[in-house]
Amino acid sequence: MEHVPPPAEELALLDRELAELDARRAQLLTRRSWLLAALRPPAPTAAPGWNPSGWGAPPGAYAQPWGYVPKQPSAPRGAQNVLLTLGGLLLTVAAVAFTLVSWGSMGIGGRSAVLAAVTLGALIAPAVLLRRGLAATAEALAALALALTLLDVYAVHAVAAPDADGLGFTAVASAVLAALWTAYGLALGTLRLPLPAAVVLAQWPLLFWAWAAGAPALVVGWALLATAVLDGAIARRGKGAGVRVTACVGGSAMGFSALMVGLALSTTASGPFGAVAPGALLLAAAAAALTGAWRAPKGFARTGGVVAGLAAVAAVGGVPAAELPGGWRVLAYLLCGLALTGVVRAGVPRDAARGVLAASGVVVAGALVWALRPLAVVLLGPGTLLSDVWAGSPEGFRAALGTTLPWSELAAAPVVLALVAGLLGAAHRWWPSVVRISAPLAAPRTADTGTPGAGAPGAVGAAAPWPGWSGWTTWSGAGAGVGRRPSAATLRGVVGAGAVALGWGAFLLAGALLDVPYALAVAGETALVGGLLALAVRGTGRGRGETAMPVTALVAAVAGAVSVGVLSLASEGASYAVFGALAALFAGAAVRAAGSELPRAVFAVAAVVWGTVLTGLAGRSLGLAPQETAPLVLVVPALTVLLGARLRRNPVALPVELTGALGALVAVGLAASEAPFLALVLALCGVLAAGAAVRPERRPVAGYLAAALFVLATWVRLAASEVSFPEAYTLPVTVPALVVGVLRRRRDPEASSWTAYGPGLAATLLPSMAVALTDTDWLRPLLLGTAALVITLLGARYRLQALLLLGGAVLALDGLHELTPYVVQVAGALPRWLPPALAGLLLLVVGATYEQRLRDARRLRDALGRMR
């Protein structure tokens, strides 16, 4: 029982809480005052003893929070940097121009002396400038020195060694320059440019050497990999962030290029022995990536693990794949990808191992994507039968798909799906063992619930970061779910769902690849739908974390039912057998399902759909035209009305009845081409709606719908009979309907005028209005306008909304119809500029009195709303 304190004790508690609130309010007001003072521009001097914050700052000082003392802004460096950059660029351009243009006009001694002097001066100057504290100027001159060394190399090649091979000379020169700039950067450690520049130069020696030697592509790949390994070592132990970032970028580019070379050679090898050498390159790349990921930070470790895993799969899988035919190569790579899961017991660091597992997932996903294309053809291919229903049973399954595929190259697709499905099913079956084996790689989970301890960010009562602060954010309490990971039960359900979906796809693909007979394909797919429904029904009552499997089975069952239903349209007997079986299977599933109402509703709705299709097939078998089939289609909607009356307030009742209503809409569409049949179908739909309106929970909607359908059926019947005086048929309905409405209002004054008078008035006014719009005589519009005016006045007098709106709408339309010829005649006689001018003037008046017009509209809306 809940403890209720005595009044005296409760009053004391309230007093304490109010005191705490007052203290908290005082703290917030103090903080607000300081913030307002801090936002004001400071005065040049302060009066002695003035303290704007009130937090113990010494008198006469501008106290700032957290001990902040404002400093005088330093001189901007932007202009200096721009000037230095422009100066370095101009000097570089001048050096290039001198080397390319004026070089030949000097003797060999002068040339050497000039280049040596300029380069030596550019190299020495940064050291002198650094000692004087001019770091920016030193950086600019160091960039100039780098450009001069490059020009020196060009000059040496052009003068001293003009016959040397360009690629070989570039390889040697880039190696020499990389070594020199490394030594220079280490000697002048303050400069930030030389060492990254040396890393950039170090990317090219091995590549240009292999290129110059005319080495095969495999040697080029080894050169790229060696360069990437060197970059990895520099990134691991390099000095400065610039060096490490440059090495990472260079190593990524070179390593990726090496992998592409190895992969291209492996996939185009003529046989297993030809794939061994590229495989060795890929394995070396995998080892290098895994070594780099061994002690790398989290993100780099996982990336390295992914690269290592993919490279290993390409290396090992490429050897057997070179001997296998095209479609079976995917299976070789898939097996190697699945073998990567052994990393969980290999002692690899956790982040790197996760990367390797991610690579395994990428390989498996790629194999599944390859296998899903023919599966989509098997599911969607029968759609070609819709254009020629009951044309005759094809000989085999493939002939019914209406498309041609290289089936011999897709023979491994069902094997791939079945293999992955089997592994996922085994993991689902022995899930505790999977959890135990993968425990070393599982991340520590954060508690989903609980109260943060004292001092934790966001905890109530935590230590305040500054005086007067008690924490603006509070913990969200139990079940916040921030950063929550899926539970083990949810993961197990997802694994099982994958096994179900892939196993279903494997069965479908196997039938297409074996080209089983048509009858066997139809029977097998129908049986498969039944098995999926059984699995879905079995899992409907399970917990929240175990719903993935039944939901997947349900989705697969619906998709398979649609596919086999369309497939059965090739034969009349197969169509009746399949759709009858589907209706029975889904109806049985709806009865047997337990737990959540959503699966039961889906089962029931699907059963109604298949039943509706059966009625349409019956009409075709009887040789009926579409409009003649429409009344037959209404059999299923009638059954749904009866079933709804049986189910009452069961949550499944509404979806079933709505599906039946859609079937009735299909019947209306079938009968739309023939007005007599359309009137009959509308009347039958009105009867069904009236039957549903007997139930109190359906009456508000079904009652109005029944009245509208009956009136619409009457209009359509009159139009089909080419009746020129519909009033002779509508007035006998309107008069008793209005009498009934009057009696209803006397018995229940709160009844709506739409319920009492709306159907009766609409039965005559609307058909008469439709005929009057095409009537060239004056008598009908006059009588209709007079009647509409009287109805409108009665509605305004007795505050009846239905009379006012119906009568006013008909009166406005009738008047507009009669005035249209005169308006057109007057408009033709007016100057062309006058209508736009009048429209603009109207807009100006409305805009100027917009608020008043808005208030008038609101008053009108309120007045209409108060009417009955």
Side-chain angles (χ1 to χ4, degrees), residues 635-648 657 688 695:
V635 172
V636 174
L639 293 177
T640 60
V641 172
L642 296 176
L643 184 60
R646 172 69 176 172
L647 295 175
R648 290 291 179 177
E657 292 180 82
L688 296 179
R695 297 158 53 194

Side-chain angles (χ1 to χ4, degrees), residues 446-453 456-460 474-481 484:
T446 313
D448 293 334
T449 60
T451 306
V460 177
T474 59
W475 60 285
S476 56
R484 180 180 297 175

Side-chain angles (χ1 to χ4, degrees), residues 647-722:
L647 295 175
R648 290 291 179 177
R649 297 185 180 275
N650 191 300
V652 179
L654 181 59
V656 168
E657 292 180 82
L658 290 178
T659 308
L662 291 178
L665 188 61
V666 171
V668 172
L670 291 174
S673 59
E674 293 289 337
F677 279 97
L678 180 59
L680 174 62
V681 171
L682 289 173
L684 292 176
C685 291
V687 172
L688 296 179
V694 174
R695 297 158 53 194
E697 66 272 13
R698 299 286 185 261
R699 189 171 300 156
V701 175
Y704 288 111
L705 181 60
L709 288 172
F710 283 133
V711 172
L712 188 59
T714 303
W715 295 346
V716 173
R717 180 68 261 182
L718 293 177
S721 301
E722 298 182 355

